[in-house]
Each structure stands twice: as C-alpha cells, then as structure tokens.
Amino acid sequence: MNCFLYNSSVGKKLVMSISGCALVLFIIFHMSMNITAIFSAEAYNMICELLGANWYALVATLGLAALVVVHIGYALLLTWNNYRARGTQRYAVTAKEPGVTWASKNMLVLGFIVLVGLLLHLSHFWAKMQLVELLGGHESMVGGQLIAATDGAALIQYTFSKWYNVVLYLVWFVALWFHLTHGVWSMFQTAGFANDTWYPRLKCIANIIATLIFLGFAVVVVVFFAKAQCGCF
C-alpha cells in the first residue's frame, strides 16, 4: 500500500484527494465559525476558548498541520513527476485542451499563494491565541494593548480595521476560490465519480462550494472593515 501511494500516479492523486477533502471540511467549519463573530462576539469567543490550548484542539491542530504538509508534499511530487514526464514536449506550443481551466494549469502557483496566506493568517491569529496559551501566557499585545488570548473577536476587529490586511486577505480568498474550483472537482474525479452525466454536475458543485467558502470568509473581512470605518464597535 505504501508503494502504491508513493510510486503510483493514481495513489498520489488519491492521497491528494483524501487530504484535500479533510482540509475542505475544516475550511467550511472555520468559515462557519468566523461568521458567528458577525452576530455575537461572545459566542465567537466561547468557540475560541473551546479551541484554545485544550488537548483535543491540540490534537486537531497537529492533525491539520500533518494534512497540510502531506497535501503540499504530494502536490510538489506530482508536479515534478509531470514535469519530468513531459520532457522536451513542455516547450512545444499547443492548442488549449478542451475542459482544461486556467486554475487546473496553475494549481501550484495558486497553492503557493494559499500557503502564503495561511502563514499570514497564522501570524495574525494562531500565534496570538493558541500559541500564547501553549507558552503559558494568557494575553497578547495587539495594537498597543493587551487582549486575552481567547478574545478572538477583538483580534478580528483589530486585524480587519487595517485596509492592507483586508486587501491581502481578499487576494488570499480569491486564490483559494480558484484552487478549490479545480481541487474539489479533481477530488470527485479521483474518487471515480466523473462520467459524462456527472461531469458538469460535479463541476457545478465544485464552483458552488468554492463560492460559498469565498463569500463566507470575505463577508467577515468586509463587515468588520466597514464597522471599523464607521466606529460601530
């Protein structure tokens, strides 16, 4: 099984699909959690406290980190294998293949942008919340004042009161949208669901999922930026 998952192209794509599916489910959960902050800071902070430096949250964090590493590692491996397989043909100019989208041909670049956005997000939130608790602290310095490590609502308010953070996050979300429109579809294809009947349906489902995720994250950023501009906090 190990050889199949590493040496076979199908095996590598299967690992990509399974890890990608798990990550998409987490992204949907994270998006739903963030939307809570729009309606109730108390409810959002309660969720943050549950997901702090508790053993189950730490296990989940380590599991997510492992999934990200596996997903990226296999993506690089597949890209390298495809590069080697094309050989001198990679220099040939060919007509656009039918059904091949821009996102499908630029998944590595999109993945890199998503990764950079993830690192930015970790520095803005995880490093000031769960990491602080892991290091034995209870507060972190944000905007010149101390806030509780579990006060995620205040952290969101501060982060998205800055226009440059809003721009950076929206660019990240757009890259994530493109990545998911192909990634979710590819996941279904690897699982064997793709055929003439289901192909357009699955493409539509992938677009819907990616769009809902994009809108769910983007609305939080835009709403908190708008509140900061009108002083509604």
Side-chain angles (χ1 to χ4, degrees), residues 31 177 180-181 205-217:
M31 174 201 70
W177 182 86
L180 291 176
T181 54
I205 291 173
N207 288 337
I208 290 173
I209 292 174
T211 301
L212 288 176
I213 289 173
F214 169 80
L215 292 176
F217 280 120

Side-chain angles (χ1 to χ4, degrees), residues 62-83:
L62 291 174
L64 284 168
L67 285 170
V68 170
V69 170
V70 168
H71 197 72
I72 293 174
Y74 270 78
L76 292 173
L77 190 59
L78 277 168
T79 300
W80 173 246
N81 288 344
N82 290 339
Y83 178 84

Side-chain angles (χ1 to χ4, degrees), residues 140-195:
S140 59
M141 183 65 68
V142 177
Q145 62 180 0
L146 289 172
I147 67 168
T150 55
D151 194 354
L155 197 52
I156 287 181
Q157 290 174 10
Y158 173 77
T159 303
F160 298 128
S161 66
K162 311 299 182 183
W163 68 267
Y164 47 84
N165 284 334
V166 173
V167 172
L168 289 173
Y169 273 77
L170 289 178
V171 169
W172 180 30
F173 299 153
V174 169
L176 182 62
W177 182 86
F178 277 111
H179 195 76
L180 291 176
T181 54
H182 176 72
V184 173
W185 145 245
S186 181
M187 178 178 67
F188 286 126
Q189 184 183 43
T190 302
F193 291 110
N195 54 47

Side-chain angles (χ1 to χ4, degrees), residues 79 102-103 105-116 175 179:
T79 300
W102 179 86
K105 300 188 71 172
N106 293 277
M107 286 296 280
L108 190 64
V109 175
L110 291 169
F112 177 75
I113 298 174
V114 171
L115 176 60
V116 171
H179 195 76

Side-chain angles (χ1 to χ4, degrees), residues 8 15 24 28 46 48 52-53 65 73 78 80 113 118 123 130-131 135 140 152 154 173 184 195 197 202 209:
S8 165
V15 172
V24 167
I28 292 173
M46 181 180 69
C48 291
L78 277 168
W80 173 246
I113 298 174
L118 174 61
S123 68
Q130 190 179 71
L131 180 59
L135 297 176
S140 59
F173 299 153
V184 173
N195 54 47
T197 300
L202 294 177
I209 292 174

